[in-house]
Amino acid sequence: MSFLDHLEELRWLLVRSTAAICIMAFVTYFISDYLFDVIILGPTRPTFFTYRWFCDLSHQLGFADSICITELNFIIQNTEMEGQVNIFVWMCILAGFILSFPYILWELWKFISPALYEKERKNAKVFIFTSSLLFFLGVLFGYYVVIPMSVNFVATFSVSDVVINQFTLESYMGMVKTSVLASGLFFELPIIIYFLTKLGLVTPDFLRKYWKYAVIIILIIAAIVTPPDVVSQTIVAIPMLIIYEVSILISKIVYKNKNKQNV
């Protein structure tokens, strides 16, 4: 196809993907009470699964109640006239994007598949399943680990007892969106590394060379989003380090196969 034909295909890809997101966002409207009260605002309550799990872990490790989270001293308030309406719409769109992610991947695969070999095109199901699984695992990681740790940190941090934490609804929802999407996309790192290695833009030696820098960055991120204790930081950092190691392994396999084909 010509360049303009490719642009036309890309345009329809975006149109169909946007339509899928809107449809799924409309579906979430019918479960909006559950979406907001139970899912989105769940980490603001001490009864949230992650907090209870940390408390059980604290007892099993013999730390008594040292890392138990029994209260979160803050309130969430709306300060904008149309604040709740805007938040409602955008959070439904976010939920629609997450639910329609496999379909978006399918559309993306159809767009790039003409540039692949026949054997690679046959791996469409594997690509979509693996990418979707990694994305959903990342979303769950962000929801059950990153968000609760972030909420607990900002709720317990205070420059003075005089200051009372009253967070705006927009700031809390922004943190939820960032944590969930960033974690979901970070878990896509093995897929991204696969294609970058295929294109020759990344090599296993490059990833291994900068491994120590990646570890430092991951540990800094874990330290920022978690309370100041080793257990919480480790729980956040280990999955991220595993993802990076898996990316290096995938890069090695792709690079080795690529060299065999060139021989």
Side-chain angles (χ1 to χ4, degrees):
M1 292 189 297
S2 66
F3 177 73
L4 292 179
D5 290 334
H6 282 296
L7 286 181
E8 181 68 12
E9 285 294 320
L10 179 61
R11 184 176 74 87
W12 280 107
L13 181 155
L14 296 175
V15 169
R16 290 190 294 267
S17 299
T18 302
I21 294 173
C22 292
I23 291 172
M24 297 310 298
F26 180 73
V27 171
T28 59
Y29 167 80
F30 296 99
I31 57 169
S32 58
D33 290 341
Y34 182 84
L35 175 65
F36 282 90
D37 292 337
V38 178
I39 298 179
I40 296 177
L41 294 173
T44 64
R45 303 184 182 95
T47 55
F48 188 63
F49 170 81
T50 303
Y51 304 138
R52 290 188 283 108
W53 183 81
F54 261 82
C55 194
D56 293 339
L57 179 63
S58 176
H59 293 157
Q60 293 175 6
L61 295 176
F63 296 156
D65 294 335
S66 59
I67 58 175
C68 283
I69 301 171
T70 56
E71 61 177 346
L72 296 169
N73 294 321
F74 67 90
I75 63 172
I76 298 178
Q77 57 182 344
N78 176 51
T79 59
E80 302 291 336
M81 181 73 73
E82 300 174 351
Q84 295 199 55
V85 176
N86 292 332
I87 290 298
F88 180 87
V89 172
W90 281 110
M91 295 309 290
C92 284
I93 291 176
L94 173 64
F97 173 79
I98 294 174
L99 293 175
S100 61
F101 190 75
Y103 176 78
I104 296 174
L105 286 176
W106 171 249
E107 288 289 343
L108 180 62
W109 180 265
K110 288 195 301 181
F111 180 73
I112 66 175
S113 60
L116 303 176
Y117 293 110
E118 181 64 27
K119 184 174 70 172
E120 293 172 329
R121 287 198 291 266
K122 293 180 180 178
N123 295 328
K125 293 181 179 179
V126 176
F127 166 77
I128 295 172
F129 174 79
T130 304
S131 300
S132 299
L133 178 63
L134 289 173
F135 178 76
F136 290 136
L137 287 176
V139 168
L140 292 176
F141 177 75
Y143 178 70
Y144 282 107
V145 179
V146 177
I147 292 177
M149 295 300 96
S150 301
V151 169
N152 179 60
F153 175 75
V154 298
T156 56
F157 181 83
S158 176
V159 296
S160 172
D161 294 336
V162 177
V163 181
I164 300 175
N165 285 326
Q166 296 181 344
F167 306 134
T168 64
L169 180 64
E170 182 179 2
S171 65
Y172 173 77
M173 294 301 178
M175 184 268 296
V176 170
K177 289 187 291 185
T178 302
S179 300
V180 168
L181 288 179
S183 298
L185 295 177
F186 180 81
F187 272 57
E188 292 291 306
L189 183 61
I191 304 297
I192 296 173
I193 293 298
Y194 170 84
F195 283 105
L196 290 179
T197 306
K198 291 283 290 185
L199 294 173
L201 300 177
V202 167
T203 63
D205 293 336
F206 174 84
L207 296 174
R208 182 58 66 185
K209 177 182 178 181
Y210 291 97
W211 180 85
K212 57 183 178 181
Y213 299 106
V215 172
I216 293 174
I217 293 173
I218 289 173
L219 291 177
I220 291 174
I221 294 174
I224 292 174
V225 303
T226 60
D229 64 82
V230 178
V231 176
S232 302
Q233 294 171 9
T234 303
I235 290 174
V236 171
I238 286 179
M240 299 175 72
L241 290 173
I242 291 175
I243 289 294
Y244 190 80
E245 287 295 332
V246 170
S247 300
I248 294 177
L249 178 61
I250 290 175
S251 182
K252 285 182 178 179
I253 296 174
V254 174
Y255 191 75
K256 183 177 179 180
N257 293 335
K258 186 178 180 181
N259 288 337
K260 286 182 178 179
Q261 292 175 357
N262 295 333
V263 174

